[in-house]
Amino acid sequence: MDCTVFALFYGDYPDIAKRCLDSLRYLPHGRTDLRVGLNAVPVGCKTWDYIQGMIDDGHLNDYNIYESTENIHKYPLMRRMFHDPDNPINTSYVMWFDDDSYLRTDECRHYETWLDDINDFMKRYAMLGAVYTKRIEGNQVAFIEDQPWYNGKSVEDPIKFITGGWWCLRTEIITLFDWPVSALDHRGGDVLLGELLRQQNGRMKSFNQHVAINADENGRQCKSPKRGYDSRPIGHDYDPGVTKQIAKVLPRLDKKRLPYERLME
């Protein structure tokens, strides 16, 4: 297998689910391991019918389905999918799809070559996808500075990151940094990961060829309507407490750098 592909579906939105699932059938058979998360997807709905069709066609194994009958939000289910001790990730990188992202199959019929290009990039970069920037909100700087992967670089505003609707990420980052961290709930994970990579000298590559990311019904990127739960991004309301206030007036010690020098190459 070249990579493990994860797709997360929320609620009863069969048109969105079908668009994504149908496109995933174009992934090169035998080179990708597809795993699906179902977050508050009602049993018996059309999305389940599409999932069963993927199983019947051999594109999906039933043990690669992760279901929560309640909406536990994006990152808790992602964490369950990434860190299943009975079903570990055995590829060097992973590929992620939100349910409103999909492959533009009208543009490309040769996804073998597309995957070859991604394989080549993932040998040289930590992460690839659509690159954006976002201004810091609330107390996110203090939150970042208190993370174990923070290496003393001043947090830049805006933060450069790869948007969370579709991306590829090296598996060793998931393992080494326990990603996504347990504090993540629904928003801000993509921005936080962008800063983690910057702190750890991880290189990001801008790439979204033949992918529609968080697309609306007309395929316009990042125009998909919000659905379900929403919240402020992680770190917005962070309270570092008295310990942090005391630390500010004491001599600052260098934090130990984590062993991720490969990404500096």
Side-chain angles (χ1 to χ4, degrees):
M1 296 289 179
D2 291 292
C3 74
T4 307
V5 178
F6 293 87
L8 178 59
F9 299 87
Y10 162 71
D12 188 11
Y13 298 93
D15 292 342
I16 292 174
K18 186 176 189 301
R19 184 180 67 175
C20 178
L21 287 168
D22 283 350
S23 78
L24 295 181
R25 294 175 181 273
Y26 285 80
L27 290 171
H29 188 69
R31 295 181 60 182
T32 56
D33 180 25
L34 177 61
R35 305 187 184 187
V36 168
L38 302 174
N39 211 359
V41 176
V43 175
C45 70
K46 287 185 178 180
T47 297
W48 266 108
D49 292 339
Y50 302 144
I51 293 293
Q52 186 59 53
M54 297 286 284
I55 296 173
D56 294 342
D57 293 344
H59 287 90
L60 177 65
N61 294 309
D62 54 5
Y63 55 78
N64 278 345
I65 298 174
Y66 295 80
E67 181 191 8
S68 174
T69 56
E70 297 181 359
N71 182 11
I72 62 172
H73 308 152
K74 178 176 180 175
Y75 289 102
L77 190 49
M78 180 191 293
R79 184 172 175 83
R80 184 185 299 179
M81 297 168 77
F82 283 2
H83 297 281
D84 181 357
D86 297 321
N87 194 15
I89 299 169
N90 293 315
T91 56
S92 61
Y93 71 95
V94 305
M95 183 183 299
W96 179 268
F97 286 83
D98 282 357
D99 57 4
D100 52 7
S101 299
Y102 61 97
L103 299 175
R104 294 186 183 275
T105 55
D106 58 327
E107 292 182 357
C108 178
R109 298 288 177 173
H110 303 287
Y111 280 99
E112 293 276 358
T113 302
W114 179 79
L115 190 60
D116 288 341
D117 291 340
I118 291 177
N119 283 341
D120 183 57
F121 288 134
M122 293 309 296
K123 294 174 183 177
R124 294 177 284 145
Y125 294 91
M127 188 176 188
L128 63 81
V131 178
Y132 289 83
T133 60
K134 187 173 181 60
R135 298 301 302 268
I136 290 168
E137 296 186 33
N139 212 18
Q140 286 183 312
V141 171
F143 178 80
I144 290 169
E145 291 177 346
D146 278 353
Q147 300 310 300
W149 42 260
Y150 176 69
N151 274 334
K153 297 179 183 178
S154 297
V155 180
E156 296 180 347
D157 188 8
I159 293 176
K160 181 180 177 181
F161 68 101
I162 287 177
T163 191
W166 178 85
W167 41 260
C168 296
L169 179 70
R170 299 225 313 229
T171 304
E172 55 193 333
I173 295 172
I174 294 171
T175 303
L176 184 59
F177 301 109
D178 193 31
W179 189 261
V181 295
S182 58
L184 269 169
D185 183 51
H186 187 69
R187 282 190 61 209
D190 48 6
V191 175
L192 190 66
L193 182 55
E195 184 59 23
L196 183 158
L197 292 176
R198 192 179 75 88
Q199 292 290 330
Q200 293 294 321
N201 301 303
R203 300 170 63 201
M204 292 185 289
K205 168 70 176 176
S206 178
F207 180 92
N208 62 343
Q209 188 177 20
H210 307 314
V211 185
I213 303 174
N214 298 139
D216 67 8
E217 60 183 7
N218 296 314
R220 295 181 301 172
Q221 186 156 296
C222 295
K223 297 295 185 179
S224 178
K226 296 292 185 182
R227 295 171 288 135
Y229 177 80
D230 199 5
S231 68
R232 288 178 171 176
I234 189 169
H236 182 283
D237 300 323
Y238 179 64
D239 182 3
V242 176
T243 302
K244 182 76 171 184
Q245 297 172 27
I246 294 174
K248 284 185 176 181
V249 300
L250 296 176
R252 184 165 183 169
L253 300 176
D254 290 335
K255 289 192 176 184
K256 183 179 179 181
R257 291 186 176 273
L258 295 173
Y260 206 58
E261 300 302 323
R262 286 185 297 278
L263 292 186
M264 297 177 63
E265 298 175 358

